[in-house]
Amino acid sequence: IVDVLSHADDGFLEARSLTKGGMILIDADEASNLYKEMAPGIECSGGSAANTMAGIAALGGNAAFIGKVHGDQLGEVFGHDIRAAGVEFLTMPATDGLATARCLILVTPDAQRTMNTFLGASTQLGPDDIDSKQIERAQITYLEGYLWDPENAKNAFRRATEIAHAKNRKIALTLSDAFCVDRHRAEFRELTKVVDLVFANEAEILSLYEVNNFEDALQAVRSDNTLLALTRSEKGSVILDGDNVHVINATTAGPVVDTTGAGDLYAAGFLAGYTQGRSLRDCGQMGSIAAAEAISHFGARPETDLKAMIDGQVSV
């Protein structure tokens, strides 16, 4: 996905019945109309899992991304950007069908981001795009909940999971968005029982277990016996590993400018630490620092030396 970020006030959202802080799917016509109404902004390569892989690469890790773009101008921009970030990207572009996906992101003065996503060519991702050798090489295959909507992409998930499990590799899942959880709650509940690691924010975990407060959600998730990393914005994060609970404080890296990608970069920091064999507390701290860098500027990709930031605050 290519992100288009622009400032907007609450009135702009209300006039268009947009829920602040959420993500909705829009079609090509809606994307065109909203783009025309948006204030001037910036364009940069994005997408949740792609942001996470770019963050891991920035931390010196080996990351690869599997995702579909069209062979159009935005597709070329996306491919160039992610490879320039040090991420392996082998998926062949589509030669027909929908244009490259884009996410129109409205950032309000309180730094909340409201996302309007035209999935475009990304929905054409399918099992044939899964490179088995790439999955076999990976310590962890990271699945993005957003892609549970298109049936073909869901089959790609299943294919990647089968390959990883056959090689005793680990699977991580991010729930992505509370509205995404609302749509696929039953299937996500089953998925959380078979993957090795789950990332979710507070709204997503409350939706998953249909509870009204975080403490009740913690009690519910323990029964699944899955490692969870739960982010809570300014309250930091909570990591659950069976009966072991680690509470991680939020980190600051200057004023909050744009919360786009905070969860993506938290996952990057956590996964980088996890694949290095660090303690879960260290993984959480690395995630917190990476998230703080992401929200200190416009856009979801690291703009400062993320590795230096973490090396300066988390001892090996």
Side-chain angles (χ1 to χ4, degrees):
I1 294 178
V2 175
D3 290 340
V4 182
L5 298 102
S6 174
H7 287 294
D9 57 26
D10 288 351
F12 186 92
L13 303 184
E14 291 167 3
R16 291 154 185 81
S17 301
L18 301 175
T19 302
K20 184 162 70 171
M23 192 284 285
I24 60 170
L25 300 178
I26 58 178
D27 61 27
D29 289 340
E30 290 172 314
S32 177
N33 291 334
L34 182 57
Y35 182 75
K36 291 175 184 176
E37 296 173 346
M38 290 170 63
I42 61 170
E43 297 182 356
C44 57
S45 295
S48 179
N51 293 336
T52 298
M53 295 305 108
I56 290 172
L59 288 167
N62 295 317
F65 177 69
I66 299 173
K68 202 75 169 178
V69 298
H70 194 278
D72 52 20
Q73 184 176 359
L74 285 183
E76 291 177 6
V77 167
F78 180 90
H80 172 270
D81 284 359
I82 198 162
R83 292 186 184 103
V87 178
E88 181 178 276
F89 180 48
L90 305 178
T91 318
M92 295 298 295
T95 56
D96 55 18
L98 298 170
T100 296
R102 71 284 317 266
C103 183
L104 307 179
I105 303 174
L106 303 166
V107 182
T108 41
D110 58 1
Q112 280 285 348
R113 84 287 183 273
T114 302
M115 300 185 292
N116 306 270
T117 306
F118 167 57
L119 291 173
S122 70
T123 61
Q124 295 175 253
L125 182 77
D128 291 344
D129 293 308
I130 303 302
D131 185 325
S132 60
K133 294 188 183 301
Q134 199 174 44
I135 301 295
E136 290 169 359
R137 285 190 284 126
Q139 289 187 54
I140 298 177
T141 295
Y142 179 74
L143 306 176
E144 179 185 316
Y146 282 133
L147 274 184
W148 201 250
D149 281 306
E151 190 63 31
N152 216 27
K154 189 184 296 187
N155 291 331
F157 268 35
R158 294 183 174 123
R159 173 65 178 148
T161 301
E162 290 170 0
I163 296 168
H165 280 162
K167 290 294 182 179
N168 294 316
R169 303 300 195 187
K170 292 188 175 181
I171 303 288
L173 168 72
T174 173
L175 298 187
S176 294
D177 188 274
F179 296 114
C180 188
V181 177
D182 291 342
R183 293 192 298 274
H184 305 294
R185 183 175 293 108
E187 290 176 293
F188 277 12
R189 287 283 293 273
E190 292 304 312
L191 274 174
T192 60
K193 297 175 183 178
V194 298
V195 302
D196 301 285
L197 170 59
V198 174
F199 292 93
N201 65 25
E202 188 165 354
E204 292 156 7
I205 206 68
L206 293 183
S207 174
L208 184 68
Y209 290 96
E210 298 181 277
V211 295
N212 295 319
N213 64 75
F214 190 67
E215 292 303 319
D216 287 344
L218 293 183
Q219 294 303 317
V221 298
R222 285 176 173 171
S223 62
D224 286 342
N225 198 33
T226 301
L227 176 61
L228 291 107
L230 307 175
T231 57
R232 306 186 71 194
S233 300
E234 71 277 2
K235 297 176 184 176
S237 62
V238 176
I239 301 166
L240 279 81
D241 181 22
D243 292 329
N244 298 316
V245 180
H246 305 276
V247 179
I248 310 298
N249 292 329
T251 301
T252 58
V256 177
V257 175
D258 170 23
T259 57
T260 305
D264 304 336
L265 268 293
Y266 179 92
F270 190 102
L271 289 168
Y274 191 70
T275 54
Q276 294 167 10
R278 297 197 185 214
S279 70
L280 292 179
R281 178 165 290 279
D282 279 358
C283 292
Q285 290 176 334
M286 291 173 68
S288 183
I289 295 166
E293 195 281 336
I295 64 177
S296 69
H297 56 77
F298 230 24
R301 300 284 173 89
E303 290 188 355
T304 58
D305 189 336
L306 196 53
K307 188 174 187 301
M309 284 180 64
I310 287 178
D311 287 346
Q313 297 182 57
V314 182
S315 59
V316 178

